[in-house]
């Protein structure tokens, strides 16, 4: 037995730094395991920490590049813009906020709609951009997602929505809440036409987005440890006056409680989505013309 023993624990180092978007510079510090990662290595692993698999938040454009074959896709409806229907102002006028965000992100709203091929399968993808006013679901985002779903319906190509959002856009009030119903209605049409819809939930997916399309996928797939919920944990604790369990509102917890179908590492996301789509009988784009005789044969057999 040792003569001297530390009776007190050493002072805990404050590693609770804010999880941030990947900063500029050659090296990035992982907020989870504090490992220093070379910028290029991080990029190569799709912004997932090679040591602890912490998922850094990525933008909509990076997301699309990671999903489509060779990073090639065609963007749709890029120039839809909100016209500030309520003439809203909080700490600053909404118009001003929109203008600044447009400048800093180079986008006109919080969703990018794209079509292209994913492991050879034709798909329509709508990806949300968190840095555009918290990826909030406003009139334009709702319209773009709805149009994406209509495009999927028209072409009978599977739809994928990658959510990354704080919820409805409060600067558009009730009009933004209506987007939940609008997108859900478009999804119902997709469902009746038997066109697959896969919802990918990333950190964070909260509020009205969780309460509508993000949870309506034929499959709901989340990235590890993503915050997914409707109201925030503090609000829930105050309302129900109980302490929430460990890991509450994280992907793994939700999977365990039947709210999600899969939790998939970002590095495996593309192949998992492709596998699921093939299971749902999506045919590779090149093989599509040959489908008719196969279907006819299947019909004559039955
Ligand atoms: Zn790490």
């Amino acid at each position: 037995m040792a003569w001297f023993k530390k009776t007190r624990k050493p002072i805990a180092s404050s590693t609770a730094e804010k999880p941030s978007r990947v900063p500029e510079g050659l090296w990035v510090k992982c907020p989870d395991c504090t490992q220093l990662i070379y910028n290029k290595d991080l990029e190569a692993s799709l912004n997932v920490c090679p040591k602890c698999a912490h998922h850094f938040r990525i933008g909509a454009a990076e997301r699309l590049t990671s999903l489509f074959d060779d990073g090639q896709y065609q963007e749709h409806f890029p120039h839809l813009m909100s016209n500030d229907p309520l003439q809203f102002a909080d700490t600053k006028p909404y118009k001003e906020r929109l203008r600044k965000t447009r400048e800093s992100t180079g986008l006109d709203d919080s969703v990018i709609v794209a079509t292209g091929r994913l492991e050879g399968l034709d798909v329509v993808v709508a990806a949300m951009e968190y840095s555009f006013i918290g990826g909030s679901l406003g009139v334009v985002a709702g319209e773009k997602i709805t149009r994406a779903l209509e495009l999927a319906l028209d072409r009978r190509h599977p739809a994928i929505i990658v959510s990354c959002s704080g919820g409805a856009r409060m600067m558009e009030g009730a009009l933004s809440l209506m987007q939940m119903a609008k997108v859900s209605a478009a999804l119902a049409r997709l469902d009746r036409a038997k066109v697959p819809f896969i919802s990918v939930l990333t950190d964070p997916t909260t509020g009205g987005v969780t309460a509508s399309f993000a949870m309506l996928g034929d499959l709901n797939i989340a990235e590890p440890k993503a915050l997914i919920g409707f109201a925030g944990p503090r609000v829930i604790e105050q309302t129900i006056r109980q302490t929430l369990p460990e890991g509450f509102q994280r992907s793994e917890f939700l999977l365990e409680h039947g709210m999600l179908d899969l939790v998939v590492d970002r590095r495996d996301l593309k192949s998992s989505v492709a596998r699921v789509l093939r299971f749902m009988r999506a045919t590779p784009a090149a093989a599509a013309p040959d489908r008719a005789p196969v279907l006819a044969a299947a019909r004559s057999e039955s």
Side-chain angles (χ1 to χ4, degrees):
M1 192 184 149
W3 282 22
F4 299 102
K5 249 170 102 180
K6 276 186 185 165
T7 50
R8 278 188 290 176
K9 283 183 183 157
I11 298 162
S13 60
S14 63
T15 49
E17 282 168 28
K18 275 186 204 161
S20 62
R21 291 210 45 174
V22 184
E24 299 286 320
L26 278 179
W27 298 88
V28 181
K29 192 176 180 184
C30 171
D32 216 354
C33 69
T34 67
Q35 171 94 350
L36 280 176
I37 315 160
Y38 185 48
N39 218 341
K40 289 265 167 14
D41 291 346
L42 192 60
E43 238 171 66
S45 66
L46 300 177
N47 285 301
V48 177
C49 171
K51 194 179 169 210
C52 74
H54 170 80
H55 282 52
F56 288 81
R57 189 174 295 154
I58 60 170
E62 283 165 288
R63 173 71 61 181
L64 293 171
T65 308
S66 77
L67 284 178
F68 285 110
D69 295 348
D70 307 320
Q72 299 290 315
Y73 59 88
Q74 193 198 344
E75 195 184 340
H76 297 265
F77 333 114
H79 300 304
L80 289 184
M81 272 190 223
S82 173
N83 57 2
D84 186 15
L86 305 180
Q87 313 279 309
F88 192 87
D90 44 66
T91 48
K92 56 180 156 184
Y94 178 40
K95 267 208 175 81
E96 179 65 17
R97 195 182 292 278
L98 278 173
R99 193 182 58 78
K100 284 227 167 104
T101 315
R102 260 184 220 123
E103 272 173 23
S104 65
T105 59
L107 296 173
D108 283 340
D109 213 274
S110 58
V111 173
I112 303 181
V113 175
T115 53
R117 286 182 183 171
L118 187 153
E119 289 199 4
L121 305 166
D122 277 316
V123 289
V124 180
V125 184
M128 304 188 85
E129 173 61 59
Y130 193 76
S131 58
F132 198 103
I133 317 186
S136 50
L137 175 69
V139 171
V140 172
E143 174 65 17
K144 281 178 102 166
I145 294 174
T146 306
R147 287 191 191 185
L149 297 174
E150 284 168 351
L151 199 63
L153 187 64
D154 260 8
R155 300 182 175 183
R156 293 197 65 83
H157 293 163
I160 300 162
I161 301 178
V162 184
S163 301
C164 185
S165 171
R169 188 172 299 171
M170 63 155 199
M171 300 86 169
E172 293 181 3
L175 295 170
S176 72
L177 296 180
M178 287 171 196
Q179 306 311 310
M180 296 161 65
K182 177 164 148 179
V183 175
S184 303
L187 281 173
R189 275 189 285 153
L190 216 61
D191 184 51
R192 280 197 291 275
K194 297 193 169 27
V195 176
F197 162 53
I198 299 200
S199 173
V200 178
L201 299 91
T202 71
D203 183 65
T205 298
T206 56
V209 171
T210 311
S212 60
F213 56 85
M215 284 292 181
L216 290 176
D218 294 316
L219 272 178
N220 298 326
I221 303 175
E223 284 191 342
K225 293 186 188 162
L227 174 73
I228 298 163
F230 182 62
R234 199 158 26 109
V235 176
I236 299 174
E237 271 185 338
Q238 280 167 3
T239 311
I240 64 170
R241 296 179 189 202
Q242 277 183 31
T243 322
L244 295 169
E246 179 82 18
F248 180 73
Q249 289 188 321
R250 294 284 163 184
S251 309
E252 293 73 13
F253 185 93
L254 295 173
L255 179 72
E256 209 173 290
H257 291 80
M259 298 284 285
L260 294 171
D261 299 301
L262 286 168
V263 174
V264 175
D265 189 294
R266 187 181 295 154
R267 292 164 289 187
D268 303 325
L269 186 63
K270 183 176 173 177
S271 57
S272 302
V273 169
R275 193 167 61 241
V276 161
L277 288 179
R278 278 192 215 101
F279 176 76
M280 292 174 175
R281 295 192 162 199
T283 22
D290 301 339
R291 232 179 125 205
V294 175
L295 284 176
R299 275 195 209 105
S300 64
E301 271 169 34
S302 60

